Amino acid sequence: MKRDQWTVTLNLALRLGLKHLQDMDVRPVAAFTSLETLRQRLGRALSDEGLPPDQVIDELVRDADGGILGSTGGRFFGWVIGGTLPAALAADWLVSTWDQNAAIHACGPAEAVIEEIAGEWLKDLFGLPATASFAFVSGTQMAHVTCLGAARHRLLMRAGWDVEEKGLFGAPAIRVITSSERHGSVERALRILGLGKRSVRTLPCSQAGQLDPSVLNQAFKGDAQPTIVILQAGDLNIGACDPFAELIPIAHEHGAWVHVDGAFGLWAAASPRYRHLLRGVELADSWTNDGHKWLNTPFDCGYAFVADQQAHRGAFSHRTSYTMYVDGARDQIDWNPEWSRRGRAVPTYAALRQLGRNGVADLVDRSCEYARALVRRIGALPGAAVVWEPTINQGLVRFLDQRAGATDADHDRRTDDVIARICATGEAFFGGTTWRGQRCMRVSVCNWQTDTADVDRVVAAAGRVLGEFSATENGPDAG
Ligand SMILES: *Cc1c(COP(=O)(O)O)cnc(C)c1O
């Protein structure tokens, strides 16, 4: 009986899962079922009696229909999402099947070793110090918490304050210096760690979205306070990377801890073609990155790396009397903020084995090339303008209201309208952003499946959408 339940239920999930993946080319990329319908379908009363497991799965898939974004396919360019590689997805299924608690080595020896190896491989690919410690967390948000927790430990220890023992009440203040292009997850991490938003000093960026060394130097003038400098390897609008080789020595001269948000941009270090953009990044004290973005592992999968192992361990390690420890083994709980957790490193291990070093570089190079092609070609359509041509895999396009006397507000409205209409065609998914005061369409490419046929198809769809306006608006001198 139990055996039959496994067979029927898992075969059904395999069949329905494959159908989802294989129908990607013929289904709309955007969701098309309304909130109301989803609630109505899924929100049935919880019954007193249970159901056969295969019926549960069958109804789950039917009820969710139209509410699943096509983000595993090659025409999804919203946010910075990434799809999933076959080996990574299959490995993720096995993680759920094995159902180990990856809190400590004794709870799942193989997964603990896989995590050790995957962490070493990642440091090697990114060119980070071989001695750095690491943690596999839910994403860059928690990687920030992990890295900045280590920073808090070290900086306060240096100031004679044991924060793990005494907490933050009465502790010396920590100042955080960062740039205007930081991601919102940085602030949330500071809130969680008790450092607060007010500890943040935001410095302006150059036209290229980079922090200027002289501006950073100036920020240190005056007081000598424990300081964390947070730099960016790939911001979410234009993929800008700070000039690490110049900035990090300045911060270190003033005793600061340097943390790098490399959620997706750190992957550029894995490509010989783009590595130069990250020159000097290895000099930092901590780094974050996501597997679930550019590496194409399933959610959720983020990485924290810390150069100062003692600080990392000092902030997170935990020993109890009821757990078993194995000599010489790496217990994940010593590096991670979670207790019980899934074997998150397994899909990363599988993804890196599927791609190899060259496959990772190729994924990075192709994504950048397609991002550039999409921005150039959509930007060249009538009624469109290139706002940022990608340096890596992120770019911006704006759509212009062609009527005489149209204002910036009209162009903003037009941009949001065109984004919505492109999504409504079902041919592609894009999101919007406000960048330097203007609404723009973000083009983010980080899916291993995107190819030239996808690019052609999406440019054609954008062309058709823009054509809907041109009939009424294009006078003889509009262009
Ligand atoms: C996505 C992203 C984050 C947040 O990462 P999560 O994995 O969603 O927690 C932080 N910074 C940057 C630059 C990002 O792109």
Side-chain angles (χ1 to χ4, degrees), residues 252-293:
H252 280 167
E253 213 173 284
H254 294 90
W257 176 290
V258 180
H259 174 65
V260 175
D261 179 351
F264 62 91
L266 207 49
W267 285 107
S271 159
R273 249 162 89 180
Y274 293 95
R275 191 169 291 153
H276 65 278
L277 296 170
L278 293 154
R279 201 170 53 88
V281 75
E282 72 283 354
L283 303 171
D285 300 284
S286 56
W287 307 261
T288 68
N289 178 257
D290 281 326
H292 57 218
K293 290 178 177 167

Coordinates of all heavy atoms in Angstrom, one line a residue, residues 252-293:
H252 N 40.1 49.6 4.1 CA 40.9 48.9 5.0 C 41.9 49.8 5.8 O 42.2 49.6 7.0 CB 41.7 47.8 4.3 CG 40.8 46.6 4.1 ND1 41.1 45.6 3.2 CD2 39.6 46.2 4.6 CE1 40.2 44.6 3.2 NE2 39.2 45.0 4.0
E253 N 42.4 50.8 5.1 CA 43.2 51.8 5.7 C 42.6 52.4 7.0 O 43.2 52.8 7.9 CB 43.5 52.9 4.7 CG 44.8 53.6 4.7 CD 44.9 54.5 3.5 OE1 45.0 54.0 2.4 OE2 44.6 55.7 3.7
H254 N 41.2 52.5 6.9 CA 40.5 53.1 8.0 C 39.9 52.0 8.9 O 39.0 52.3 9.7 CB 39.4 54.0 7.5 CG 39.9 55.2 6.8 ND1 40.2 55.3 5.4 CD2 40.3 56.5 7.3 CE1 40.7 56.5 5.1 NE2 40.8 57.2 6.2
G255 N 40.4 50.8 8.8 CA 40.0 49.7 9.7 C 38.5 49.2 9.4 O 38.0 48.5 10.3
A256 N 38.0 49.5 8.3 CA 36.6 49.1 8.0 C 36.5 47.7 7.6 O 37.5 47.1 7.0 CB 36.0 50.0 7.0
W257 N 35.4 47.1 7.8 CA 35.0 45.8 7.2 C 34.4 46.0 5.9 O 33.4 46.8 5.8 CB 34.1 45.0 8.2 CG 33.6 43.7 7.7 CD1 32.7 43.4 6.7 CD2 33.9 42.4 8.3 NE1 32.5 42.1 6.6 CE2 33.2 41.4 7.5 CE3 34.8 42.0 9.3 CZ2 33.3 40.1 7.8 CZ3 34.8 40.6 9.6 CH2 34.1 39.7 8.8
V258 N 34.8 45.3 4.8 CA 34.2 45.6 3.5 C 33.4 44.4 3.1 O 33.8 43.2 3.1 CB 35.3 45.8 2.4 CG1 34.6 46.0 1.1 CG2 36.1 47.0 2.8
H259 N 32.1 44.6 2.9 CA 31.1 43.6 2.5 C 30.7 43.8 1.1 O 30.4 45.0 0.7 CB 29.9 43.6 3.4 CG 28.8 42.7 3.0 ND1 29.0 41.3 3.0 CD2 27.6 42.9 2.6 CE1 27.8 40.7 2.6 NE2 27.0 41.7 2.4
V260 N 30.6 42.8 0.2 CA 30.2 43.0 -1.2 C 28.9 42.2 -1.4 O 28.8 41.0 -1.2 CB 31.3 42.4 -2.1 CG1 30.9 42.5 -3.6 CG2 32.6 43.2 -1.9
D261 N 27.9 43.0 -1.9 CA 26.7 42.4 -2.4 C 26.9 41.9 -3.8 O 26.9 42.8 -4.8 CB 25.5 43.4 -2.3 CG 24.2 42.8 -2.8 OD1 24.2 41.7 -3.4 OD2 23.2 43.5 -2.6
G262 N 27.1 40.7 -4.0 CA 27.4 40.1 -5.4 C 26.3 39.2 -5.8 O 26.6 38.1 -6.4
A263 N 25.1 39.5 -5.4 CA 23.9 38.5 -5.5 C 23.9 37.8 -6.9 O 23.8 36.6 -6.9 CB 22.6 39.2 -5.3
F264 N 24.1 38.6 -8.0 CA 24.3 37.9 -9.3 C 25.6 38.2 -9.9 O 26.2 37.4 -10.5 CB 23.1 38.2 -10.2 CG 22.9 39.6 -10.6 CD1 23.6 40.1 -11.7 CD2 22.2 40.5 -9.8 CE1 23.5 41.5 -12.0 CE2 22.0 41.8 -10.1 CZ 22.7 42.3 -11.2
G265 N 26.1 39.5 -9.6 CA 27.2 40.0 -10.4 C 28.5 39.3 -10.1 O 29.4 39.2 -10.9
L266 N 28.6 38.6 -8.9 CA 29.8 37.9 -8.7 C 30.1 36.8 -9.7 O 31.2 36.3 -9.9 CB 29.7 37.3 -7.2 CG 31.0 37.0 -6.4 CD1 32.0 38.2 -6.5 CD2 30.7 36.6 -5.0
W267 N 29.0 36.3 -10.3 CA 29.2 35.3 -11.4 C 30.0 35.7 -12.5 O 30.6 34.9 -13.3 CB 27.8 34.7 -11.9 CG 27.2 33.8 -10.8 CD1 26.1 34.1 -10.0 CD2 27.6 32.5 -10.5 NE1 25.9 33.0 -9.2 CE2 26.8 32.1 -9.5 CE3 28.7 31.7 -10.9 CZ2 26.9 30.8 -8.9 CZ3 28.8 30.4 -10.4 CH2 27.9 30.0 -9.3
A268 N 30.1 37.1 -12.7 CA 30.9 37.6 -13.8 C 32.3 37.2 -13.6 O 33.1 37.1 -14.6 CB 30.7 39.1 -13.9
A269 N 32.7 37.0 -12.4 CA 34.1 36.6 -12.1 C 34.4 35.2 -12.6 O 35.6 34.8 -12.7 CB 34.4 36.6 -10.6
A270 N 33.4 34.4 -12.9 CA 33.6 33.1 -13.4 C 33.8 33.0 -14.9 O 34.0 32.0 -15.5 CB 32.4 32.2 -13.0
S271 N 33.7 34.2 -15.6 CA 34.0 34.3 -17.0 C 35.2 35.1 -17.3 O 35.3 36.3 -16.9 CB 32.8 35.0 -17.7 OG 33.2 35.5 -19.0
P272 N 36.1 34.5 -18.1 CA 37.4 35.3 -18.4 C 37.0 36.6 -19.2 O 37.8 37.5 -19.1 CB 38.1 34.3 -19.4 CG 37.6 32.9 -19.0 CD 36.2 33.1 -18.5
R273 N 35.9 36.6 -19.8 CA 35.5 37.8 -20.6 C 35.1 39.0 -19.7 O 35.2 40.1 -20.1 CB 34.4 37.5 -21.6 CG 34.9 37.5 -23.0 CD 33.9 36.8 -23.9 NE 32.9 37.7 -24.4 CZ 31.9 37.3 -25.2 NH1 31.9 36.0 -25.6 NH2 31.0 38.1 -25.6
Y274 N 34.5 38.7 -18.5 CA 34.0 39.7 -17.7 C 34.7 39.9 -16.4 O 34.4 40.8 -15.6 CB 32.5 39.4 -17.5 CG 31.7 39.6 -18.7 CD1 31.4 38.4 -19.5 CD2 31.2 40.8 -19.2 CE1 30.7 38.6 -20.7 CE2 30.6 40.9 -20.4 CZ 30.3 39.8 -21.2 OH 29.6 40.0 -22.3
R275 N 35.6 39.0 -16.1 CA 36.3 39.0 -14.8 C 36.9 40.3 -14.4 O 36.9 40.7 -13.3 CB 37.4 37.9 -14.9 CG 38.1 37.5 -13.6 CD 38.9 36.3 -13.8 NE 38.1 35.1 -14.0 CZ 38.5 34.0 -14.7 NH1 39.7 34.0 -15.3 NH2 37.7 33.0 -14.9
H276 N 37.4 41.0 -15.5 CA 38.1 42.3 -15.2 C 37.2 43.3 -14.5 O 37.6 44.2 -13.8 CB 38.6 42.9 -16.5 CG 37.6 43.3 -17.5 ND1 36.9 42.4 -18.3 CD2 37.0 44.5 -17.7 CE1 36.0 43.0 -19.0 NE2 36.0 44.3 -18.7
L277 N 35.9 43.2 -14.7 CA 34.9 44.1 -14.0 C 34.9 44.0 -12.5 O 34.5 44.9 -11.8 CB 33.5 43.9 -14.5 CG 33.3 44.1 -16.0 CD1 31.9 43.6 -16.5 CD2 33.4 45.6 -16.4
L278 N 35.5 42.9 -12.0 CA 35.5 42.6 -10.6 C 36.9 42.7 -10.0 O 37.1 42.2 -8.9 CB 34.8 41.3 -10.3 CG 33.3 41.2 -10.7 CD1 32.9 39.8 -11.0 CD2 32.5 41.7 -9.5
R279 N 37.8 43.3 -10.7 CA 39.2 43.3 -10.3 C 39.2 43.8 -8.8 O 38.7 44.9 -8.5 CB 39.9 44.3 -11.2 CG 41.4 44.1 -11.2 CD 42.1 44.9 -12.3 NE 41.7 46.3 -12.2 CZ 42.3 47.2 -11.4 NH1 43.4 46.9 -10.7 NH2 41.9 48.4 -11.4
G280 N 39.9 43.0 -8.0 CA 40.1 43.4 -6.6 C 39.0 43.0 -5.6 O 39.1 43.2 -4.4
V281 N 38.0 42.3 -6.1 CA 36.8 42.0 -5.3 C 37.3 41.0 -4.2 O 36.7 41.0 -3.1 CB 35.7 41.4 -6.1 CG1 35.9 40.0 -6.6 CG2 34.4 41.5 -5.3
E282 N 38.3 40.2 -4.5 CA 38.8 39.2 -3.5 C 39.4 39.8 -2.3 O 39.7 39.2 -1.3 CB 39.8 38.3 -4.2 CG 41.2 38.9 -4.5 CD 41.2 39.8 -5.8 OE1 40.1 39.9 -6.5 OE2 42.2 40.4 -6.1
L283 N 39.7 41.2 -2.3 CA 40.3 41.8 -1.2 C 39.3 42.1 0.0 O 39.6 42.5 1.1 CB 40.9 43.2 -1.6 CG 42.0 43.1 -2.7 CD1 42.3 44.5 -3.2 CD2 43.2 42.4 -2.2
A284 N 38.0 41.9 -0.3 CA 36.9 42.3 0.6 C 37.0 41.3 1.8 O 37.7 40.3 1.8 CB 35.6 42.3 0.0
D285 N 36.1 41.6 2.8 CA 36.0 40.7 4.0 C 34.9 39.7 4.0 O 34.9 38.7 4.6 CB 35.9 41.6 5.3 CG 37.1 42.5 5.4 OD1 38.2 42.0 5.8 OD2 37.0 43.7 5.1
S286 N 33.8 40.1 3.2 CA 32.7 39.1 3.1 C 32.0 39.4 1.7 O 32.1 40.5 1.2 CB 31.8 39.2 4.3 OG 31.3 40.6 4.4
W287 N 31.3 38.4 1.3 CA 30.7 38.4 0.0 C 29.4 37.6 0.0 O 29.3 36.6 0.7 CB 31.6 37.8 -1.1 CG 33.0 38.3 -1.2 CD1 33.5 39.2 -2.1 CD2 34.1 37.9 -0.4 NE1 34.8 39.4 -1.9 CE2 35.2 38.6 -0.9 CE3 34.3 37.0 0.7 CZ2 36.5 38.4 -0.3 CZ3 35.5 36.9 1.3 CH2 36.6 37.6 0.8
T288 N 28.4 38.1 -0.8 CA 27.2 37.3 -0.9 C 27.0 36.9 -2.4 O 27.5 37.7 -3.3 CB 25.9 38.1 -0.5 OG1 25.7 39.1 -1.4 CG2 26.1 38.6 0.9
N289 N 26.3 35.9 -2.6 CA 25.9 35.5 -4.0 C 24.7 34.5 -3.9 O 24.5 33.9 -2.9 CB 27.1 34.8 -4.7 CG 26.8 34.3 -6.1 OD1 26.6 33.1 -6.3 ND2 26.7 35.2 -7.0
D290 N 24.0 34.5 -5.1 CA 22.9 33.5 -5.1 C 23.1 32.4 -6.2 O 23.6 32.7 -7.3 CB 21.6 34.3 -5.6 CG 21.0 35.1 -4.4 OD1 21.0 34.6 -3.3 OD2 20.4 36.2 -4.7
G291 N 22.8 31.2 -5.8 CA 22.7 30.1 -6.8 C 21.4 30.2 -7.6 O 21.4 29.9 -8.8
H292 N 20.4 30.7 -6.9 CA 19.1 30.6 -7.6 C 18.9 31.7 -8.6 O 17.9 31.7 -9.3 CB 17.9 30.7 -6.5 CG 17.9 31.8 -5.6 ND1 17.5 31.7 -4.3 CD2 18.2 33.1 -5.8 CE1 17.6 32.9 -3.7 NE2 18.0 33.7 -4.5
K293 N 19.8 32.6 -8.8 CA 19.8 33.5 -9.9 C 20.6 33.0 -11.1 O 20.1 32.2 -11.8 CB 20.2 34.9 -9.4 CG 19.2 35.6 -8.5 CD 19.7 36.9 -8.0 CE 18.6 37.5 -7.1 NZ 19.1 38.6 -6.3

